[in-house]
Structures are given as C-alpha cells and as structure tokens.
C-alpha cells in the first residue's frame, strides 16, 4: 500500500480587476500512473493578451504531460513546457499585435516519492513539512534582486514602487526565459505544496500560508486564504490564483488522489 495519497485543489478569485488573466490546472498523466502535475500561470498584457498567454501555458503543459511516459525525464519535460509555451506566446503576440507575457510555476509529483518543479517569473511554489514552512522559490523580479543585494528588506519589497517589475517572463521578444528548477526527495504524508500567483502570496507570511494549508483540506484552505486575501487587499487586489497539493495518509481501500476545485469571480 502507498504511504500517502494526494489531495489537491485549485482556487481563483478575480480580485478587483476587470479580467481574470491567471490560469491554474491539475493534471494526471494518462501514460504514467502515479504522476500528477500542478501548474499556475499569471498572464500579463493588455487587450486580453495576458489571458491568452496564461492559457497557452496550461494548454502546452496538458499536451506534453499527456504524452509523458515514466521512463522520460521530468526535468526535461518541464523545460520543454516552458520553452514551447514561450515560443507560441511570442509568435501569437506578433500576429495579434499584442504584448502577451506570462509567468509559470509547475510541480510534478512522482510515484518515486519525489517532487520536481520549475518556474519563471514571480509565481511561487511553497513547500511545507507538516505545519512548518520548509522552502519557497525566489522571484525573478527587480525587487528580489534588490533584496539579494541587501539594498532593501523582504518586507520593504512588498510595498516597493517597482514590486511588479519582472526580469524573466514567457513571451518576451528580447530574451528567452531562464528556468529555475527545484526538487525534493523522500516525500511522506504531511508534506504539502502551494503554487500561487502574486495576487495571493503578497498578503501572507510564509508561516501563515503553512498554517492554513496544514490545518485544512485543500477546499477549506482555499476558502480561508481567498477570504483573508480579499480583506487585506482593501479593494485593490490582483487576480488571486493557486493550487494546494497535500500528501495525506491513505485509507486502506483508497490509493488515488482526489481533486477539489473552487472558482470565484466576484
């Protein structure tokens, strides 16, 4: 019997924007039993360009994961997803006379008790061990660079006037995106992950996110986090999008993962 089962859920809120330009999805691999993927993309660009870019990330991820086999390399899969989505977004922007861009963060859980992830931009992945924060991705942003250089603190970065300036995105015509990878071996029940756009993480500390995910089911955590994010946005919130992936002890008769989804646009 497996040592854990996967419970996962997605959630979205329009925030105070006029258009939902984020996308999120959970996928199983038809040819690779026991593998699952979570993807979050935060689209940017006027005239619906951002929504198109984020949607392309999801479509590319789904198509390539559908063709994935267990003997293939997960890191290579994630790299191909990012590069192919980037190329299509860039070409679509030229033909449509738009300037679409998107971030991406993608996680793959394997039956070998390992997690592999990749990202470009400032959509984040958090890893939690039980109720404890373990690690998170580092944003590809201008203010993160300032933090690394010791010029501002992490708290100051949240309210910096250039906090929304990214140095790495999909769809850029000036340079291809660079991809940062991460992994973790030896997954166990009580481990969990959160993938999210800046419309969520901007309003929470690492400890707050860890506690919310640990103490609740994916649906309950989604409801709590959206409610708190809306309260703290004070009428100026961005699109809020995320996926929660929790590893829990399985009932004796159940070995598959369950999926919960919640979408709000109010």
């Amino acid at each position: 019997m497996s040592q854990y089962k996967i419970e996962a859920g997605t959630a979205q809120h329009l925030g105070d924007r006029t258009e939902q330009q984020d996308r999120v999805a959970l996928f199983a691999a038809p040819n690779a039993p026991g593998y699952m993927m979570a993807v979050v993309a935060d689209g940017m660009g006027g005239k619906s360009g951002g929504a198109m870019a984020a949607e392309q990330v999801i479509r590319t991820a789904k198509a390539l994961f559908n063709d994935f086999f267990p003997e293939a390399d997960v890191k290579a899969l994630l790299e191909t997803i990012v590069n192919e989505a980037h190329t299509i977004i860039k070409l679509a922007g030229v033909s449509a006379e738009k300037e679409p861009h998107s971030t991406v963060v993608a996680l793959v859980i394997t039956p070998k008790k390992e997690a592999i992830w990749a990202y470009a931009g400032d959509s984040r992945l958090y890893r939690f061990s039980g109720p404890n924060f373990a690690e998170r991705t580092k944003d590809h942003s201008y203010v993160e660079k300032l933090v690394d250089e010791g010029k501002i603190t992490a708290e100051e970065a949240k309210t910096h006037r250039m906090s929304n300036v990214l140095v790495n995105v999909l769809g850029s015509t000036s340079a291809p995106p660079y991809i940062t990878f991460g992994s973790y071996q030896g997954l166990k029940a009580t481990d969990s992950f959160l993938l999210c756009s800046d419309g969520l993480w901007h309003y929470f500390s690492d400890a707050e996110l860890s506690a919310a995910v640990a103490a609740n089911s994916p649906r309950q955590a989604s409801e709590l986090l959206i409610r708190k994010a809306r309260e703290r946005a004070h009428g100026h919130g961005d699109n809020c999008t995320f996926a929660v992936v929790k590893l829990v002890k399985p009932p004796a008769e159940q070995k598959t993962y369950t999926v919960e989804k919640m979408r709000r646009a109010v």
Side-chain angles (χ1 to χ4, degrees):
M1 183 173 65
S2 64
Q3 296 183 0
Y4 58 78
K5 69 167 183 156
I6 302 174
E7 291 184 348
T10 66
Q12 285 192 293
H13 195 289
L14 183 64
D16 298 293
R17 305 303 190 202
T18 58
E19 180 185 14
Q20 177 59 265
Q21 294 198 330
D22 293 354
R23 296 292 186 271
V24 60
L26 301 169
F27 302 121
N31 301 308
Y35 286 76
M36 68 86 62
M37 176 186 287
V39 186
V40 168
D42 182 352
M44 297 160 282
K47 301 179 182 178
S48 298
M52 179 275 289
E55 184 66 30
Q56 186 58 59
V57 172
I58 300 300
R59 290 179 181 177
T60 302
K62 178 176 175 58
L64 291 174
F65 203 43
N66 280 345
D67 292 334
F68 178 79
F69 286 85
E71 55 270 21
D73 181 67
V74 173
K75 184 177 177 180
L77 165 72
L78 294 171
E79 184 175 20
T80 302
I81 289 171
V82 175
N83 288 330
E84 286 197 8
H86 163 69
T87 298
I88 297 171
I89 293 167
K90 183 174 66 173
L91 293 175
V94 172
S95 63
E97 297 183 351
K98 299 176 181 177
E99 295 183 358
H101 301 96
S102 182
T103 70
V104 60
V105 57
L107 165 73
V108 174
I109 302 289
T110 83
K112 303 173 185 177
K113 301 179 185 178
E114 61 182 349
I116 303 104
W117 58 87
Y119 73 100
D122 67 346
S123 290
R124 292 181 179 179
L125 177 142
Y126 291 79
R127 182 174 68 83
F128 309 119
S129 178
N132 301 313
F133 166 77
E135 64 177 314
R136 73 162 175 86
T137 53
K138 182 178 290 189
D139 305 334
H140 298 152
S141 65
Y142 176 71
V143 294
E144 191 77 65
K145 184 174 181 291
L146 295 180
V147 172
D148 287 345
E149 294 173 351
K151 295 180 178 178
I152 62 173
T153 67
E155 281 303 310
E156 289 172 335
K158 288 186 176 182
T159 56
H160 194 280
R161 61 186 178 87
M162 299 184 71
S163 62
N164 63 340
V165 176
L166 302 184
V167 298
N168 184 40
V169 292
L170 279 65
S172 173
T173 57
S174 60
Y178 58 87
I179 308 166
T180 301
F181 297 93
S183 64
Y184 181 75
Q185 309 291 325
L187 291 172
K188 63 186 183 303
T190 73
D191 287 337
S192 57
F193 298 86
L194 172 69
L195 291 75
C196 61
S197 66
D198 62 337
L200 180 76
W201 61 252
H202 182 82
Y203 302 106
F204 297 93
S205 68
D206 298 341
E208 286 178 319
L209 292 173
S210 179
V213 171
N216 297 281
S217 70
R219 176 174 291 276
Q220 292 168 336
S222 297
E223 292 172 346
L224 171 64
L225 291 172
I226 285 180
R227 183 173 70 253
K228 289 295 185 181
R230 296 299 299 139
E231 291 173 0
R232 296 176 180 183
H234 301 296
H236 300 283
D238 197 355
N239 296 158
C240 178
T241 299
F242 56 98
V244 177
V245 179
K246 298 189 67 174
L247 308 184
V248 301
K249 292 182 180 179
E253 72 281 359
Q254 187 174 3
K255 298 182 181 181
T256 59
Y257 69 83
T258 59
V259 174
E260 298 175 346
K261 295 184 179 181
M262 179 180 69
R263 295 182 183 271
R264 293 184 178 180
V266 296

